[in-house]
């Protein structure tokens, strides 16, 4: 089975390939401090709303004093997240897991607190004094049930099967399948054991090829060879192909790419690769996020519009450029489909209908996966962890 690079000498690609092994992302101390300060303020404000609501509806006085503990738990997530880039100590991983879980719980109890005031306000408007304790008991109870459900739901890996009809699809690809994997986030929470579970599902699905659209890793650079080692045990007939996501660029990109290459995965360095006549283009996240650079890479790739083409790009952005350059199908991730309610609703608005699922922009189709892993809170509510199995068919003339 042929799988060969069809554009190694394309003009303009070599310059991009030479940049591809080093990450263009830079995080200055000032930016980190500003980001930490803003997030801390948001978390403390949310915590204050929750504690004040709890105190009012459950008749528990002194909330300004006892809110210090949950407030500290929320804020501690930020330095713990930063420290995990420097150490892989088991105690730090445990602390990160607990704090990330609390952060997810805070999401649901915050909205429960808001709902308490809304329900009470409705009672006031209609002239009925509703029982405060029962209101809070029901709404906060639902919030904690959502937290428990989210923890369990996030560990369930679903298989989303779709059929994509592509114009000019090679006859050799008709009826064949490929798996899309995004957002594994291998690191403190999702380790090699989690990856083995994903690979076992892939074995049962038997795709011809596997496409990984970024965020193989969660960001920290220690122990990466161990995290990706299970990939050595799995080789689909036409190979595994990878481009970076934003989390694979938190440090020098080569630190993430070298372990990926060592387990036999083909890293697409802003280039096109021909797999039995199917044009596969891979663009790393930073380059795909810059309209000028993305247009330059796709132009240099010399995409044949009379043959089907697939673009691996982490985020579903700059879609008009990919469509103009003749891409038939873009495969992305990044959004997690919001991961937890109500952020899935916000994602749909931010990405203008391309935040999840199979959608179309004129002649190009786009599939954005919710990802198989999680980031931050290890839970999913109103979304699912998924492997996408794509069956290819030729679009009718």
């Amino acid at each position: 089975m042929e799988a060969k690079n069809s554009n190694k000498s394309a003009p303009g690609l070599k310059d991009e390939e030479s940049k591809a092994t080093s990450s263009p992302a830079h995080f200055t101390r000032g930016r980190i401090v500003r980001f930490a300060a803003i997030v801390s303020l948001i978390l403390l404000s949310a915590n204050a709303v929750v504690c004040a609501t709890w105190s009012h509806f459950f008749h528990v006085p002194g909330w300004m004093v006892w809110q210090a503990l949950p407030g500290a738990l929320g804020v501690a997530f930020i330095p713990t997240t930063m420290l995990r880039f420097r150490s892989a100590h088991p105690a730090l991983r445990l602390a990160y897991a607990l704090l990330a879980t609390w952060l997810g719980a805070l999401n649901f109890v915050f909205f429960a607190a808001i709902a308490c005031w809304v329900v009470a306000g409705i009672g006031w408007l209609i002239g009925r004094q509703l029982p405060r304790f029962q209101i809070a008991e029901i709404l906060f109870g639902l919030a904690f049930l959502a937290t428990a459900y989210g923890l369990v739901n996030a560990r369930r890996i679903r298989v989303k099967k779709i059929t994509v009809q592509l114009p000019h699809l090679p006859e050799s690809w008709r009826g064949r399948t490929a798996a899309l994997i995004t957002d594994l986030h291998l690191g403190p929470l999702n380790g090699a054991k989690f990856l083995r579970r994903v690979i076992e599902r892939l074995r049962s699905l038997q795709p011809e090829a596997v496409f990984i659209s970024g965020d193989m890793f969660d960001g920290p650079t220690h122990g990466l060879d161990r995290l990706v080692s299970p990939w050595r045990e799995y080789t689909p007939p036409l190979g595994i192909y990878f481009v970076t996501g934003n989390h694979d660029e938190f440090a020098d990109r080569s630190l993430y790419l070298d372990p990926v290459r060592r387990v036999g995965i083909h890293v697409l360095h802003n280039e096109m690769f021909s797999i039995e006549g199917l044009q596969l283009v891979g663009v790393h996240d930073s380059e795909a996020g810059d309209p000028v650079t993305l247009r330059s890479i796709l132009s240099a790739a010399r995409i044949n519009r009379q043959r089907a083409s697939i673009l691996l790009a982490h985020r579903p952005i700059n879609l008009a450029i990919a469509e103009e350059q003749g891409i038939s199908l873009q495969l992305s991730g990044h959004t997690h489909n919001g991961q937890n309610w109500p952020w899935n609703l916000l994602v749909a608005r931010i990405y203008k209908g391309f935040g999840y699922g199979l959608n179309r922009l004129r002649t190009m189709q786009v599939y954005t996966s919710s990802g198989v892993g999680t980031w931050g809170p290890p839970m999913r509510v109103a979304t699912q962890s998924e492997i996408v199995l794509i069956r290819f068919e030729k679009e009718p003339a």
Side-chain angles (χ1 to χ4, degrees), residues 230-253:
W231 282 120
R232 296 182 186 275
E233 306 162 11
Y234 174 67
T235 307
L238 296 180
I240 306 173
Y241 302 86
F242 172 73
V243 295
T244 61
N246 57 310
H247 283 253
D248 306 311
E249 298 185 348
F250 281 178
D252 188 320
R253 196 150 59 193

Side-chain angles (χ1 to χ4, degrees), residues 133-144:
F133 184 91
Q134 283 82 352
I135 293 172
E137 189 176 37
I138 292 171
L139 291 172
F140 279 108
L142 289 173
F144 288 116

Side-chain angles (χ1 to χ4, degrees), residues 51-372:
C51 291
T53 303
W54 188 282
S55 178
H56 175 78
F57 282 80
F58 286 117
H59 308 286
V60 181
W63 70 271
M64 293 191 69
V65 176
W66 54 259
Q67 73 157 333
L69 177 58
L73 288 175
V75 173
F77 177 75
I78 300 168
T80 304
T81 299
M82 294 177 180
L83 285 172
R84 71 195 178 100
F85 283 85
R86 297 179 177 273
S87 172
H89 195 281
L92 184 61
R93 293 202 304 270
L94 177 61
Y96 177 79
L98 293 174
L99 293 172
T101 301
W102 166 245
L103 194 65
L106 180 61
N107 172 70
F108 297 117
V109 295
F110 171 76
F111 287 106
I114 297 299
C116 285
W117 293 106
V118 170
V119 173
I122 292 173
W124 179 80
L125 287 173
I126 64 176
R128 293 185 60 186
Q129 187 173 1
L130 301 177
R132 289 189 299 178
F133 184 91
Q134 283 82 352
I135 293 172
E137 189 176 37
I138 292 171
L139 291 172
F140 279 108
L142 289 173
F144 288 116
L145 283 175
T147 300
Y149 165 77
L151 290 169
V152 174
N153 186 49
R155 308 313 292 177
R156 293 185 60 198
I157 301 173
R158 276 82 161 193
V159 176
K160 180 73 174 289
K161 295 183 179 181
I162 63 171
T163 298
V164 176
Q165 294 182 332
L166 297 181
H168 312 298
L169 182 73
E171 287 298 319
S172 61
W173 272 93
R174 293 189 67 174
R176 284 175 131 175
T177 61
L180 171 63
I181 300 286
T182 75
D183 301 279
L184 281 154
H185 287 279
L186 300 178
L189 296 183
N190 298 321
K193 183 178 179 181
F194 171 73
L195 178 56
R196 287 191 181 92
R197 288 181 57 217
V198 172
I199 291 174
E200 283 304 311
R201 296 302 296 274
L202 288 173
R203 281 200 183 95
S204 68
L205 296 172
Q206 298 182 323
E208 296 291 331
V210 174
F211 304 142
I212 307 175
S213 291
D215 281 0
M216 175 83 79
F217 303 107
D218 201 43
T221 57
H222 35 70
L224 301 188
D225 284 293
R226 176 184 54 81
L227 289 173
V228 295
S229 61
W231 282 120
R232 296 182 186 275
E233 306 162 11
Y234 174 67
T235 307
L238 296 180
I240 306 173
Y241 302 86
F242 172 73
V243 295
T244 61
N246 57 310
H247 283 253
D248 306 311
E249 298 185 348
F250 281 178
D252 188 320
R253 196 150 59 193
S254 64
L255 297 176
Y256 305 101
L257 295 182
D258 289 345
V260 170
R261 276 194 296 261
R262 283 194 285 267
V263 294
I265 294 175
H266 188 116
V267 177
L268 292 172
H269 286 307
N270 304 325
E271 60 185 328
M272 183 164 73
F273 200 85
S274 178
I275 310 175
E276 296 196 352
L278 180 65
Q279 300 174 106
L280 179 65
V281 185
V283 182
H284 292 310
D285 184 60
S286 290
E287 288 86 336
D290 179 73
V292 175
T293 304
L294 176 62
R295 181 175 281 110
S296 173
I297 292 171
L298 295 181
S299 178
R302 296 177 177 175
I303 298 163
N304 185 345
R305 295 173 184 266
Q306 299 306 309
R307 292 165 53 198
S309 57
I310 296 175
L311 172 63
L312 300 187
H314 183 56
R315 290 176 286 167
I317 60 174
N318 294 324
L319 300 177
I321 294 173
E323 191 271 341
E324 290 167 5
Q325 294 294 320
I327 293 295
S328 309
L329 171 67
Q330 176 166 325
L331 299 177
S332 298
H334 179 69
T335 69
H336 293 233
N337 193 20
Q339 192 164 309
N340 286 301
W341 182 90
W343 308 112
N344 54 320
L345 307 176
L346 181 62
V347 160
R349 293 186 63 86
I350 290 174
Y351 291 94
K352 300 177 181 178
F354 291 93
Y356 176 70
L358 183 63
N359 298 281
R360 180 181 287 272
L361 177 65
R362 295 186 290 273
T363 62
M364 182 178 75
Q365 297 181 75
V366 180
Y367 190 89
T368 305
S369 173
S370 60
V372 70

